[in-house]
Amino acid sequence: MSNQQSTNFQDPRLLYTEALTSQEKNDDPQALFYHTQAGKQIRSIDSPSQDVDELLDRCNIYKRQNKLTMANMLISKALGMAQKSQQQDKITQCLDIRGEIKRLQGDYDGALLDHNKSVEIKLKLHENEGLDVSNSYINIGNVYCDQVKYDDAVCMYEKSLKIRLSALGDNHPSIATTYHNIGNVYQHQGQYDDAVRMYEKSLKIKLSALSNNHPSIAQAYHNMGSAYSDQGKYDDAVRMYEKSLKIQLSALGDNHPSFAQTYLGMGSVYQHQGKYDDAV
């Protein structure tokens, strides 16, 4: 019998822990089940802070599944509760997530409004630019990138990078993510040498901080392969794509959606090289 059909948990903290464990396993249906049960228990004991957290986690699951209407409904409810109880830190979390949802929906002006409001509250709460503000700069940079405002995007990513380097040092995984973001913008701008340089920095950190078969490293090799392909360095591109595929096979199995993107990249390279049989 499945956990969804029979659960002995009553303590919302235990249910919430089960939900987080399911999220780490990417088991979204099970995570949603435990979040729903936790929410019922939390509401029965009238705990606004925990209730907002539970709504935010459920919202993030729906956002990851691209079920944005449901995510938007939950974030509106969470924001209303946080505002009613005047939990400023929860309000900023809600604004951050709502801004991400609006970006995914193509409402870029609305997304920027939420993210900038979040920054304003965070600076009032902490009086300096900490990691939470750094995360907001990343969010704003993502909106600018989607708007094809690449110089503005790089400006935001670099502001975030400065804070993260100061707070976390040179080898934290979030530093690697920021280098990746900057590299992605450079690639869009056609600055391929700069893009490769950023991707190499990102990869170096990931290799030191993560296992060699981590999916994030496969993504880094894929990005470098794409940049080399854009440069016309096709042999280097194939070499990177092959490294990416090897990790994907080991870590994700041979039916994961990420394979399609890497195979498409390799096919494009083979076409440019005139290796049409390999491209097929």
Side-chain angles (χ1 to χ4, degrees):
M1 184 177 296
S2 71
N3 286 331
Q4 293 190 18
Q5 292 175 326
S6 64
T7 178
N8 296 320
F9 293 119
Q10 295 298 322
D11 188 331
R13 292 170 297 183
L14 296 178
L15 290 165
Y16 188 65
T17 299
E18 288 293 322
L20 296 180
T21 300
S22 297
Q23 283 179 241
E24 290 175 357
K25 295 178 181 178
N26 292 320
D27 187 351
D28 288 344
Q30 192 79 325
L32 285 171
F33 167 75
Y34 282 118
H35 276 306
T36 300
Q37 296 302 311
K40 292 177 181 178
Q41 297 296 325
I42 290 167
R43 285 187 289 276
S44 72
I45 60 176
D46 191 24
S47 177
S49 177
Q50 283 186 302
D51 209 355
V52 171
D53 286 336
E54 184 267 329
L55 286 171
L56 292 178
D57 283 328
R58 285 169 59 197
C59 176
N60 278 324
I61 292 172
Y62 283 122
K63 178 166 64 71
R64 186 167 64 245
Q65 294 177 326
N66 204 36
K67 297 179 179 178
L68 300 182
T69 300
M70 180 63 75
N72 202 40
M73 182 186 74
L74 291 172
I75 200 61
S76 296
K77 185 176 181 181
L79 180 58
M81 292 176 62
Q83 289 172 331
K84 184 176 180 180
S85 57
Q86 298 183 346
Q87 302 176 77
Q88 296 299 312
D89 59 329
K90 301 299 181 186
I91 290 173
T92 61
Q93 290 181 48
C94 291
L95 289 171
D96 290 340
I97 295 173
R98 192 173 71 174
E100 292 176 25
I101 293 170
K102 288 181 177 179
R103 178 179 70 84
L104 293 171
Q105 291 176 321
D107 180 8
Y108 301 127
D109 290 340
L112 288 173
L113 191 65
D114 279 345
H115 289 315
N116 282 310
K117 180 62 176 177
S118 177
V119 170
E120 180 183 336
I121 297 172
K122 289 173 181 177
L123 290 175
K124 286 181 180 178
L125 287 174
H126 304 298
E127 298 182 355
N128 55 36
E129 294 182 319
L131 289 174
D132 54 349
V133 175
S134 168
N135 293 335
S136 287
Y137 289 151
I138 290 289
N139 292 333
I140 294 170
N142 290 341
V143 177
Y144 284 140
C145 191
D146 284 355
Q147 290 181 304
V148 198
K149 297 180 178 179
Y150 295 132
D151 289 340
D152 291 331
V154 169
C155 179
M156 288 295 107
Y157 291 149
E158 288 180 341
K159 288 177 73 171
S160 175
L161 179 62
K162 182 179 179 181
I163 296 169
R164 290 181 172 184
L165 285 170
S166 176
L168 302 171
D170 296 338
N171 292 312
H172 193 275
S174 69
I175 303 295
T177 300
T178 312
Y179 283 137
H180 161 80
N181 290 340
I182 296 172
N184 186 50
V185 173
Y186 284 147
Q187 188 171 351
H188 282 304
Q189 290 179 306
Q191 300 178 28
Y192 302 124
D193 289 340
D194 290 331
V196 169
R197 181 168 53 84
M198 289 295 108
Y199 290 149
E200 287 176 341
K201 285 188 173 186
S202 177
L203 177 61
K204 182 179 179 180
I205 296 170
K206 289 177 179 180
L207 286 171
S208 68
L210 304 170
S211 67
N212 290 338
N213 287 330
H214 195 279
S216 182
I217 293 175
Q219 183 62 49
Y221 283 132
H222 176 94
N223 293 336
M224 291 180 68
S226 176
Y228 282 137
S229 177
D230 287 341
Q231 286 180 303
K233 297 179 179 179
Y234 299 126
D235 289 339
D236 290 331
V238 169
R239 183 166 51 87
M240 291 297 107
Y241 284 139
E242 287 177 343
K243 286 188 175 186
S244 179
L245 281 174
K246 183 178 179 180
I247 295 172
Q248 290 172 32
L249 279 169
S250 173
L252 303 173
D254 56 8
N255 290 318
H256 196 272
S258 63
F259 275 98
Q261 291 299 318
T262 306
Y263 279 127
L264 282 173
M266 292 183 71
S268 176
V269 170
Y270 286 139
Q271 279 190 318
H272 282 106
Q273 290 179 312
K275 299 178 180 179
Y276 301 113
D277 291 339
D278 290 331
V280 173

